[in-house]
Amino acid sequence: MVVPVNKNSDFIFHQETPPNGGPPLARLIEKFATPVQNFFLRTHGDIPEVNRSTFRLTIAGLVKRPCEFTLAELGERFPAKAIVATLQCAGNRRSSASAIKPVPNEVRWGNEAISNAGWKGCSLTDVLQFAGVDDQAKHVEFVGADRCSKEGTEVYFGGSIPLDRALQRDVLLAWEMNDRPLATEHGAPLRAIVPGYIGARSVKWLKEINLLIEPSKNLYHAHAYRLFPSDTSSASADWEHALELGELSVNSCICAIEEVPNGVLVKGYATAGGNRHVVRVDIGFGEPLKWREASFQDPPGPGIWRRWEVLIPKLLVGEIICARAWDSAANTQPEDPESVWNFKGYMNNAWHRVRFGMPWEDVKVAKPEIDYYL
Ligand code: MTE
């Protein structure tokens, strides 16, 4: 049965079954915490309806005490913990990567595969300490309850993070999002939240946690979310040795451009990966480019987006506006989108470029290297 999702009427679905989509960009940055009706949705299989009363989370693999918990037991046994974390898909901004060279068979995300929320649950660290992690264990695997079809087989969606990351206390087993029980489409009754990591590791409809020596062999870990050089094709890809994605990179996007009496107001979001935070966003405009520093609407925080805005002088139709962010480790975005192109279209964090006042169709035809998703 298809589970209905509660999204705003202007939510843009890139795919209906299973549902994948996000809000228009101007709406995306309306609030620091994205309301559930606007929160982007990334699903690989049909949305499962997990019965809250029969739900059990099992902890197995390399632990001294394999155990299982109901939702109530998780709440009673472990201290509640609340965090703010931004989720961002590794495929965010894929559409502008595919304007360089096609990225077949993947969801054509614009810049909206990202959202921010308050999450409440318990710390994974507490649960792992209760189960007692064996010395050999190096990775923590999450498995969801959704059956997905990949490479001709049916698998439960899953993936792992290094044990060191799992023990940093901020990785959450969350049952609330923005002070409400998790919505079905966002993982009810329980999901993992791994701040600063690609969204794929924040496994929804979480049913199993396994402690492993090696990273997960789940197809969504071993045969997806890996980064290949630009000259690798799907035919030549060596999945086993490819870079396994984990921490997100620094990124920024322009989400709204408004003409105001004294110039042009440009607004957007910026993110940093791992435990880094966004420290600066520069907005370039005109040809040759002149730069202006944006001011932030949100405080800095690890793995949390910062919305920004800046007033630039009046521009002529067709003039370039671009954004680049810097994080607390002095990383910045690459200028050239070609240098980060890969056949899966992951981790596109090149400068975001748009042309002032041009409808996206014109830009697409005239200048394929310019990102047209506004
Ligand atoms: N968990 C399960 N069980 N199934 C999924 O398809 N998609 C992942 C992750 N967790 C997924 C999942 C991906 S790729 C992303 S980007 C985030 O969930 C998206 O979370 P959201 O749909 O709540 O925005």
Side-chain angles (χ1 to χ4, degrees):
M1 197 192 83
V2 178
V3 176
V5 296
N6 301 303
K7 296 296 170 192
N8 255 357
S9 53
D10 58 2
F11 199 79
I12 301 160
F13 284 96
H14 295 290
Q15 198 179 293
E16 295 285 342
T17 323
N20 280 284
L25 288 179
R27 189 174 292 292
L28 176 67
I29 56 161
E30 275 173 359
K31 294 203 159 77
F32 175 59
T34 317
V36 66
Q37 317 86 272
N38 300 331
F39 204 99
F40 87 102
L41 181 61
R42 174 68 178 116
T43 50
H44 290 80
D46 290 340
I47 296 173
E49 278 186 294
V50 181
N51 185 330
R52 294 175 80 84
S53 50
T54 55
F55 167 80
R56 298 283 182 283
L57 172 71
T58 63
I59 318 291
L62 297 168
V63 285
K64 298 191 174 60
R65 179 156 49 149
C67 36
E68 63 172 42
F69 302 97
T70 63
L71 208 56
E73 285 166 345
L74 283 174
E76 283 154 17
R77 199 179 292 268
F78 304 107
K81 188 170 168 63
I83 61 166
V84 174
T86 301
L87 290 188
Q88 183 175 184
C89 189
N92 193 26
R93 307 192 54 204
R94 180 177 284 129
S95 63
S96 52
S98 51
I100 303 278
K101 201 163 124 186
V103 177
N105 309 321
E106 299 290 339
V107 179
R108 273 194 109 240
W109 292 108
N111 304 313
E112 73 291 336
I114 181 170
S115 295
N116 186 55
W119 309 94
K120 187 172 157 199
C122 61
S123 167
L124 174 62
T125 311
D126 289 336
V127 177
L128 294 182
Q129 280 169 352
F130 179 89
V133 176
D134 279 356
D135 291 345
Q136 294 159 287
K138 294 284 175 284
H139 297 270
V140 181
E141 179 187 58
F142 303 117
V143 184
D146 49 335
R147 296 289 281 169
C148 309
S149 122
K150 185 160 171 60
E151 295 165 23
T153 34
E154 287 257 305
V155 293
Y156 289 109
F157 184 92
S160 63
I161 59 171
L163 178 62
D164 291 351
R165 179 69 192 88
L167 294 177
Q168 282 169 26
R169 300 210 73 85
D170 62 331
V171 177
L172 223 61
L173 305 183
W175 50 77
E176 272 185 25
M177 173 182 174
N178 293 338
D179 301 319
R180 304 286 305 272
L182 276 181
T184 305
E185 64 268 28
H186 292 291
L190 191 73
R191 75 177 298 171
I193 294 292
V194 187
Y197 264 51
I198 58 166
R201 305 302 184 235
S202 291
V203 172
K204 303 191 274 190
W205 311 294
L206 185 63
K207 68 182 182 84
E208 271 172 47
I209 295 179
N210 299 309
L211 277 288
L212 309 172
I213 297 177
E214 302 284 340
S216 172
K217 300 268 186 290
N218 186 292
L219 281 182
Y220 287 96
H221 191 107
H223 271 226
Y225 301 108
R226 301 218 166 196
L227 198 63
F228 294 93
S230 298
D231 58 359
T232 301
S233 66
S234 59
S236 65
D238 173 0
W239 286 93
E240 207 181 323
H241 298 106
L243 192 160
E244 201 181 295
L245 290 175
E247 290 186 358
L248 287 158
S249 45
V250 61
N251 215 336
S252 64
C253 284
I254 297 164
C255 295
I257 299 175
E258 292 162 27
E259 281 194 89
V260 290
N262 49 346
V264 177
L265 189 60
V266 186
K267 297 181 184 173
Y269 67 77
T271 58
N275 59 6
R276 298 172 294 281
H277 59 270
V278 175
V279 293
R280 202 176 92 204
V281 173
D282 303 322
I283 299 304
F285 54 93
E287 285 157 80
L289 283 176
K290 289 183 270 314
W291 294 92
R292 220 165 249 193
E293 193 174 334
S295 54
F296 291 111
Q297 285 157 282
D298 307 314
I304 307 177
W305 74 1
R306 293 185 87 180
R307 293 163 309 141
W308 51 263
E309 63 177 45
V310 64
L311 183 69
I312 59 172
K314 285 196 181 301
L315 295 175
L316 300 173
V317 169
E319 282 194 287
I320 280 187
I321 309 176
C322 60
R324 69 166 186 220
W326 298 78
D327 73 14
S328 48
N331 297 306
T332 191
Q333 301 174 232
E335 178 176 350
D336 166 19
E338 281 186 25
S339 63
V340 286
W341 187 93
N342 57 88
F343 79 92
K344 295 291 286 181
Y346 292 141
M347 306 293 270
N348 177 14
N349 71 334
W351 292 4
H352 185 204
R353 287 182 172 83
V354 295
R355 281 188 186 267
F356 177 69
M358 283 181 74
W360 69 265
E361 289 89 351
D362 292 358
V363 178
K364 192 175 165 199
V365 173
K367 287 270 176 192
E369 84 275 16
I370 304 293
D371 195 343
Y372 48 81
Y373 265 85
L374 257 193

